[in-house]
Amino acid sequence: MDEQFEVRRLDAPDVDAAAAVLVRAFFVSPFWTWFEPDAAKRHALMEWYMPVGVRYGLLAREVFGVGDPLRAIAIWDPPEDAPTDRDPDGTLSGYADHAKHMSAEAIARSEAASETQRPVRLRVMDGRPFWYLSLLGVDPVAQRSGAGAALLGDMFARADASAVPICTDTAEEANVPYYEQHGFRLVHHGELPLGGPNFWTFRHDPP
């Protein structure tokens, strides 16, 4: 039976706990195992990268969590958002230090993923402003508990009320039916370059 989760907006004191959830949620995902195949190096990289991602989301005040302790995290990019303007030199999130933590291969894979997926999102959303779910991570101990669904439902209520669509993507094939069951429709299936995994892009439209 699904638990009842209260969704709350996260802030700076939550960074470490939120990042720890994301490390556990994505450690063996197809994207991260491609991004850094060596498990020990991947863990060290993710322990640096996930706090960066949370801090980046906090710049737009669009990081949400459920559970006490935290069990699931959602990070959103708002409509009309210009990420490069939010953190132009990477110092606010900490991404400016990426060369110290990411190998040349990981940097190349990151850039290839962004250059492949971002144009797809813009195309499948027809040039309209949209919310982008950049990360939805559920702690393995809380999977199938309703934690992720609570975070999606909270955003659907906000986005639908303002008639703004939502986009997200995944490199985990098992997530395809999950997103379809929770209000998204599949609009693209592709493959990341440099030997990367397949990815699936989804869209949710207001009723």
Side-chain angles (χ1 to χ4, degrees), residues 12-154:
D14 301 300
V15 168
D16 289 345
V21 170
L22 295 173
V23 171
R24 292 192 294 271
F26 290 103
F27 186 70
V28 296
S29 68
F31 179 85
W32 275 96
T33 54
W34 164 69
F35 199 61
E36 177 48 74
D38 182 271
K41 292 179 180 178
R42 187 188 327 137
H43 192 269
L45 174 59
M46 294 179 77
E47 286 197 322
W48 167 78
Y49 186 93
M50 290 308 187
V52 168
V54 175
R55 287 192 295 268
Y56 182 75
L58 289 176
L59 295 174
R61 300 201 67 247
E62 292 296 342
V63 182
F64 295 85
V66 295
D68 184 15
L70 286 170
R71 292 304 189 194
I73 309 297
I75 302 178
W76 300 87
D77 286 339
E80 307 289 7
D81 184 45
T84 55
D85 293 339
R86 201 194 312 171
D87 190 17
D89 59 4
T91 56
L92 297 176
S93 65
Y95 188 74
D97 294 330
H98 70 280
K100 299 177 183 177
H101 300 272
M102 298 171 66
S103 67
E105 292 80 6
I107 292 173
R109 290 171 185 142
S110 176
E111 292 174 349
S114 178
E115 291 169 0
T116 301
Q117 292 180 294
R118 188 173 185 277
V120 168
R121 294 175 202 133
L122 296 176
R123 176 175 58 80
V124 301
M125 300 308 288
D126 306 319
R128 294 179 58 188
F130 61 92
W131 284 97
Y132 174 58
L133 175 57
S134 63
L135 278 178
L136 176 65
V138 180
D139 195 310
V141 301
Q143 289 179 359
R144 295 179 295 277
S145 67
L151 290 166
L152 290 176
D154 178 75

Side-chain angles (χ1 to χ4, degrees), residues 2 13 77 83 100 113 119 146 153 182 191-192:
D2 286 357
D77 286 339
K100 299 177 183 177
H182 287 84
E191 184 176 328
L192 294 176

